[in-house]
């Protein structure tokens, strides 16, 4: 018997046992008979030989005694045939009352146990769903379904509270669409005081006339704050909600709050992980835009360091080898984070493109500025230092677009000078015309280029690293190589900052002019460097000239004859492929070769403006089959790959194809030679 079911004699007493009890009392006094009537007056049980007309026409021998238990009127005990009825009825009346009281108590205990079982079973089913579902919508569906099955209501809503504007939305519902709409309207009007409440409540006395007579609200609490709640309603004529319903719905609401909040937190964590993953990819992509190798330039040493303060950086630097000189850039975008990184990438590609259209530094920056002014959003701009280095003349042509003035320390004294600004930052004024300046350098001169993340770095005492400290280090270490000077600057800056995280990105470039030796040798980072260049028209007749250039470069650089023969063969095969296939139907522009040897390896680059190709996609020849069965093609690239240690190909934005061939030298053979 549920708590909403009425307590009646048939539900509380066993008919056969009650009949035996009445017969036992009848035998005590001969002629005395008992009957037990229901609350509506109809007989439930009578003793043996009870006169049937005694209930129809009661007389002086018929006496009635009401039966009550737990404040409930359950029926009537009738005694017939005795003069002293009150005394004789006392024992059976007491026995029946006691039995009824015990039966009601047992029923209540059973009801409580049943409710507990229902609650445990309900929580078990919910926990199964909560443990596998990360969808708040699916969780709310399960919760409302269980509410409808366990409590029985005509319509129900699961409401969520929007944190940004304190509004309420229907996450899920059950019932007729019109009823759902009506109940939600009531939730936002007459029942609105319920919504922020942290306590469950039963309402049966709504002031306005509605299609519902009873409402049950249970809040979904998380750390004493209502995330939402469950609102149930029963139509007119249905029984009101009980305290047991309230308790059960509150249990459901608590489980729903935990599940929905956990699902939300997991979704937040997954979204954060996705964003972190995208930031890592973006950082890797941005890092790939930075130079991967230190430039090897005649009579010069270079060293560089790039350290983003966050995942994404607004600093960048670039080395752009062009013809017989080197262009390089150092820049700092005004913004931070992703916006700065995107503008940095745009600036890098724009500057690179501008340097291909003109060799005048000021004109290149003026063109780049016009493009960047059109792309700049929200006042974003970039300070930039652009330089063109001619290593044969040791001449630096530069434009300083609002950037920190680089430092120049001359070899003949400790005095420092700055390369001053020659214009404003890029992306600010599209009409601005930049100016360029030229500077002649000598052996031993040192240039230090940096962004303000160096001088504005702070320590735990909020002190800045500052320009004076930077200048003093450069003066003191000016005789070191570019690599050693950069290492000293990096170590000093890191020690100064200690555990204090960098607030801004840090970029440093050190360039040092070194004294040339005989034979065009340059003492660089990788040892003695020899570098040569040559160009000729893309004609088959030029193949002999390319072979001769390689042979002369090898002889001048003391490369072993066997290695020289291999390199000459590789260059011949590569240039022949370019001439025959790359320039098949295109204008014949010159092919440019460079030859560099640092004592450890030879690096040959072949640059052309033919049709792009992908040597890595060239099919490998089938060397196991006979000549008559072998497919045509592939042997040339197989030969090239077998004779050198590394083959790299790049298609540049200016339309050039650059093939780089690296051959590591056998020191024993070269020394023997």
């Amino acid at each position: 018997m549920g708590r909403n079911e009425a307590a009646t004699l048939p539900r509380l007493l066993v008919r056969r046992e009650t009949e035996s009890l009445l017969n036992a009392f009848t035998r005590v006094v001969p002629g005395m008979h008992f009957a037990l009537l229901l609350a509506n007056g109809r007989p439930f049980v009578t003793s043996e030989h009870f006169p049937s007309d005694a209930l129809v026409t009661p007389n002086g021998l018929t006496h009635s005694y009401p039966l009550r238990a737990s404040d409930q009127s359950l029926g009537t005990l009738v005694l017939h045939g005795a003069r002293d009825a009150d005394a004789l009825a006392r024992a059976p009346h007491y026995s029946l009352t006691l039995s009824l009281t015990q039966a009601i108590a047992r029923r209540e205990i059973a009801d409580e146990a049943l409710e507990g079982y229902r609650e445990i079973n309900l929580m078990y089913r919910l926990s199964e769903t909560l443990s596998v579902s990360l969808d708040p919508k699916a969780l709310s569906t399960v919760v409302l379904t269980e509410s409808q099955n366990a409590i029985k209501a005509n319509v129900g809503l699961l409401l969520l509270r929007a944190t940004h504007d304190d509004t309420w939305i229907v996450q899920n519902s059950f019932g007729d669409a019109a009823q759902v709409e009506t109940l939600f309207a009531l939730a936002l009007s007459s029942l609105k005081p319920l919504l922020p409440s942290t306590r469950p409540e039963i309402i049966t006395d709504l002031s306005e006339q509605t299609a519902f007579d009873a409402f049950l609200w249970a809040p979904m609490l998380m750390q004493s704050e209502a995330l939402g709640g469950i609102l149930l309603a029963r139509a007119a004529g249905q029984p009101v909600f009980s305290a047991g319903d309230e308790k059960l719905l509150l249990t459901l609401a608590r489980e729903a709050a935990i599940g929905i909040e956990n699902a939300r937190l997991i979704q937040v964590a997954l979204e954060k992980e996705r964003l972190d993953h995208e930031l890592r990819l973006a950082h890797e992509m941005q890092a790939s835009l930075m130079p991967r190798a230190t430039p090897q330039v005649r009579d010069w040493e270079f060293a560089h360091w790039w350290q983003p303060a966050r995942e994404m950086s607004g600093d960048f630097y670039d080395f752009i080898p062009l013809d017989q000189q080197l262009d390089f850039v150092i820049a700092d975008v005004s913004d931070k984070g992703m916006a700065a990184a995107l503008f940095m990438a745009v600036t890098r590609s724009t500057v690179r493109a501008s340097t291909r259209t003109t060799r005048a530094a000021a004109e290149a920056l003026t063109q780049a500025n016009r493009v960047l002014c059109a792309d700049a959003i929200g006042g974003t701009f970039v300070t930039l230092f652009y330089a063109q280095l001619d290593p044969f003349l040791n001449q630096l042509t530069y434009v300083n677009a609002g950037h920190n003035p680089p430092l120049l320390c001359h070899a003949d004294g400790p005095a420092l000078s700055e390369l001053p600004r020659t214009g404003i930052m890029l992306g600010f004024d599209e009409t601005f015309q930049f100016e360029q300046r030229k500077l002649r350098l000598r052996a031993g001169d040192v240039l230090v280029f940096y962004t303000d993340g160096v001088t504005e770095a702070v320590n735990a005492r909020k002190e800045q690293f500052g320009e004076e400290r930077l200048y003093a280090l450069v003066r003191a270490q000016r005789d070191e190589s570019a690599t050693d000077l950069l290492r000293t600057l990096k170590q000093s800056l890191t020690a100064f900052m200690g555990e204090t995280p960098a607030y801004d990105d840090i970029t440093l470039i050190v360039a040092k002019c070194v004294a040339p030796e005989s034979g065009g040798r340059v003492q660089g980072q990788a040892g003695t460097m020899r570098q040569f260049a040559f160009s000729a028209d893309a004609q088959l007749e030029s193949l002999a000239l390319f072979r001769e250039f390689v042979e002369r470069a090898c002889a001048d650089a003391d490369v072993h004859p066997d290695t020289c023969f291999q390199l000459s063969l590789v260059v011949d095969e590569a240039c022949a492929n370019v001439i025959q296939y790359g320039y098949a139907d295109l204008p014949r522009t010159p092919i440019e070769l460079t030859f560099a040897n640092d004592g450890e390896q030879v690096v040959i680059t072949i640059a052309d403006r033919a049709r792009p190709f992908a040597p890595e996609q060239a099919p490998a020849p089938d060397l196991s089959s006979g000549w008559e069965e072998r497919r045509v093609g592939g042997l040339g690239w197989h030969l090239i790959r077998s004779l050198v240690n590394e083959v790299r190909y790049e298609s540049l934005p200016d339309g050039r194809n650059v093939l780089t061939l690296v051959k590591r030298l056998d020191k024993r053979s070269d020394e023997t030679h």
Side-chain angles (χ1 to χ4, degrees), residues 334-373:
S334 60
D335 207 345
K336 296 285 191 298
M338 185 64 72
L342 291 174
F343 198 70
M344 177 276 284
V346 171
T347 303
R348 176 183 179 274
S349 60
T350 301
V351 171
R352 277 194 163 225
S354 299
T355 60
R356 299 301 194 273
T357 60
T358 176
R359 292 307 300 144
E363 184 179 347
L365 264 289
T366 299
Q367 291 180 6
N369 178 57
R370 285 196 292 267
V371 175
L372 292 175
C373 284

Side-chain angles (χ1 to χ4, degrees), residues 443-485:
D445 288 352
V446 177
L447 289 165
V448 177
F449 310 87
Y450 64 95
T451 59
D452 55 15
V454 175
T455 54
E456 294 178 5
V458 298
N459 58 17
R461 296 188 296 274
K462 305 300 181 182
E463 299 170 337
Q464 288 192 347
F465 188 75
E467 294 178 350
E468 291 185 4
R469 189 177 277 106
L470 174 63
Y471 293 2
L473 284 169
V474 173
R475 289 192 193 96
Q477 309 297 326
R478 68 183 186 278
D479 294 330
E480 295 183 356
S481 67
T483 301
D484 291 340
L485 176 54

Side-chain angles (χ1 to χ4, degrees), residues 300 408-412 440-447 511-513:
W300 281 83
L408 171 60
C409 187
H410 293 286
D412 56 1
R440 293 296 293 269
L441 300 163
R442 296 173 304 210
D445 288 352
V446 177
L447 289 165
K512 185 170 185 177
C513 182

